[in-house]
């Protein structure tokens, strides 16, 4: 099982699958033996914090880097990294972490969005918009 997990989990992991991947690694006792890299979904410093809290070894910042480079060149990439660093440090301070080693999974809520309560206010008060004109087909 460990060899299978090693072969399967050494691929890049997208942010939305990190919870399941880390749970599977913990179930076989391999969470400290296999490095997990998150590739995708990183748009803010809080996303970096969440990935590290859930057990990622490192993250990839692809699209923001490309957008920054395409728009503003090297200065854009430098500004992007400064923004990520500032946001990440702010989240760490808000969570009471003095360094990265103090970030633990208990600091991150990772329940699925589908588990959130249903929004009844919109369904009971607001009526859906009706088209003013329906063409005959």
């Amino acid at each position: 099982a460990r060899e299978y997990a090693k072969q399967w989990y050494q691929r890049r992991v997208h942010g939305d699958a990190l919870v399941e991947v880390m749970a599977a690694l913990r179930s076989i006792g391999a969470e400290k033996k296999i490095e997990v890299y998150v590739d995708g979904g990183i748009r803010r410093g809080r996303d970096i914090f969440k990935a590290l809290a859930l057990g990622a070894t490192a993250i990839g910042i692809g699209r923001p880097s490309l957008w920054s480079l395409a728009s503003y060149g090297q200065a854009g990439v430098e500004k992007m990294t400064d923004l990520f660093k500032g946001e990440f440090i702010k989240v760490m301070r808000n969570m009471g972490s003095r360094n990265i080693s103090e970030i633990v999974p208990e600091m991150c809520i990772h329940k699925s969005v589908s588990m959130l309560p249903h929004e009844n206010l919109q369904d009971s008060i607001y009526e859906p918009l009706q088209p003013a004109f329906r063409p005959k087909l």
Side-chain angles (χ1 to χ4, degrees):
R2 190 167 285 162
E3 273 306 308
Y4 172 76
K6 185 176 181 181
Q7 292 170 4
W8 194 79
Y9 292 118
Q10 280 185 337
R11 291 187 251 158
R12 294 181 300 178
V13 175
H14 290 271
D16 55 351
L18 183 60
V19 175
E20 292 84 9
V21 167
M22 293 311 295
L25 288 174
R26 279 187 205 98
S27 70
I28 62 170
E31 73 273 9
K32 301 288 184 195
K33 297 176 183 174
I34 296 177
E35 294 181 347
V36 177
Y37 300 95
V38 175
D39 183 27
I42 304 296
R43 300 292 181 266
R44 311 273 317 203
R46 68 175 176 243
D47 299 328
I48 298 169
F49 184 88
K50 289 177 196 177
L52 294 175
L54 293 173
T57 305
I59 58 151
I61 303 173
R63 287 184 185 166
S65 299
L66 293 175
W67 294 332
S68 300
L69 182 63
S71 300
Y72 301 102
Q74 180 179 345
V77 175
E78 290 172 0
K79 179 67 173 176
M80 179 214 58
T81 55
D82 289 342
L83 288 171
F84 274 139
K85 180 181 177 183
E87 291 172 354
F88 178 66
I89 290 171
K90 181 179 177 182
V91 173
M92 281 183 61
R93 287 181 181 155
N94 287 338
M95 296 304 294
S97 301
R98 291 173 289 188
N99 53 45
I100 292 176
S101 63
E102 292 182 0
I103 299 174
V104 294
E106 291 77 23
M107 293 179 168
C108 184
I109 298 172
H110 54 80
K111 296 190 185 223
S112 173
V113 176
S114 63
M115 301 295 287
L116 294 175
H118 183 69
E119 178 58 60
N120 293 318
L121 180 65
Q122 183 175 352
D123 293 340
S124 62
I125 293 179
Y126 299 105
E127 294 180 23
L129 292 174
Q130 301 296 324
F133 172 75
R134 290 190 184 173
K136 294 181 181 179
L137 300 176

